[in-house]
Amino acid sequence: MTPEKPKLATPLIVEGKYDKIKLDSIVDALIIPTDGFRIFKDKQMRELIRKLAAGTGIAVLTDSDGAGFVIRRHLAGIVPPGQIINLYIPDVFGKEKRKASHSKEGKLGVEGIDSRLLLEAMEKAGLFESSGPPVREPITKADMYDAGLSGGPSSRALRAALIDELGLPARLSAPALPAVLTRLLEREEFFALCEKLSRQAK
């Protein structure tokens, strides 16, 4: 008997049809591919995404390469911040089976990432209907400064270590970090992890 797939409480926006095929195999959800950069010219798709976001919010899961981040930025420009949840996959280097060669940056896209890692990312973000979004005290820019992740000579290195420790994409920017960290960690866990990484760097 096939196990029941977990249901997502929000629509999931992905880049392409192969990402959709992969995710359709592991979750029960409304999954909408942007068809890569086509979303820049597709007014109807943008309007659909706006409407979905206004209703239940949306989650975005793109590849960890430059193109994926361009699409994220575009979506962030058409959907209010409170209506969008960004999910990230780690930087995993390799090649999808269906492709003849590696991608430009040599990283696996969503379709090539292990299903377990994808499900863990969704669960941590509170996307499953049974869990609901986690209620956490937000991690702020001031917290980032207090933890040494901004404003100091070693802040860049500490941010890189934190991103690596959490399995997040290296391209993730400092301004995007607080919202992502709030989805992944309690504030106490955040400060404890930063302190540990700081000690290790000395």
Side-chain angles (χ1 to χ4, degrees):
M1 185 175 177
T2 306
E4 189 174 347
K5 294 184 289 187
K7 292 183 179 182
L8 299 193
T10 58
L12 186 59
I13 313 300
V14 298
E15 283 185 63
K17 67 176 182 179
Y18 291 104
D19 299 332
K20 176 173 166 52
I21 290 169
K22 172 66 174 276
L23 292 165
D24 272 333
S25 73
I26 61 173
V27 293
D28 179 359
L30 172 58
I31 301 172
I32 300 174
T34 67
D35 295 328
F37 294 149
R38 180 185 161 195
I39 192 172
F40 296 164
K41 298 179 179 179
D42 193 331
K43 293 181 180 178
Q44 289 182 325
M45 182 181 290
R46 291 201 302 273
E47 187 57 31
L48 171 62
I49 289 173
R50 284 193 191 99
K51 287 179 180 178
L52 291 170
T56 60
I58 58 167
V60 177
L61 179 60
T62 66
D63 295 349
S64 289
D65 59 7
F69 275 77
V70 169
I71 291 169
R72 282 184 192 275
R73 285 195 294 272
H74 182 72
L75 290 170
I78 64 174
V79 176
Q83 297 174 2
I84 190 167
I85 300 169
N86 280 293
L87 304 183
Y88 297 93
I89 57 172
D91 289 333
V92 178
F93 292 88
K95 179 182 74 66
E96 278 86 9
K97 292 178 182 178
R98 69 177 179 85
K99 294 182 179 177
S101 59
H102 289 73
S103 66
K104 184 178 179 182
E105 295 184 26
K107 301 173 185 176
L108 289 178
V110 169
E111 66 171 288
I113 295 293
D114 184 88
S115 297
R116 179 180 51 82
L117 292 177
L118 295 172
L119 289 169
E120 284 177 0
M122 294 178 210
E123 185 175 22
K124 285 179 180 177
L127 294 191
F128 294 158
E129 279 188 352
S130 58
S131 59
V135 179
R136 293 194 177 112
E137 189 177 351
I139 294 167
T140 65
K141 290 181 180 179
D143 293 331
M144 297 273 288
Y145 179 83
D146 291 342
L149 294 174
S150 65
S154 58
S155 294
R156 183 187 293 267
L158 185 57
R159 282 199 310 272
L162 179 65
I163 285 169
D164 183 62
E165 178 78 13
L166 294 173
L168 298 171
R171 191 182 286 271
L172 190 61
S173 67
L177 258 181
V180 174
L181 293 171
T182 298
R183 285 272 164 187
L184 298 177
L185 302 169
E186 300 288 351
R187 286 183 80 249
E188 294 78 7
E189 293 175 315
F190 162 71
F191 282 112
L193 181 55
C194 289
E195 186 177 345
K196 183 186 90 168
L197 293 173
S198 254
R199 287 197 307 268
Q200 289 174 352
K202 290 178 181 176

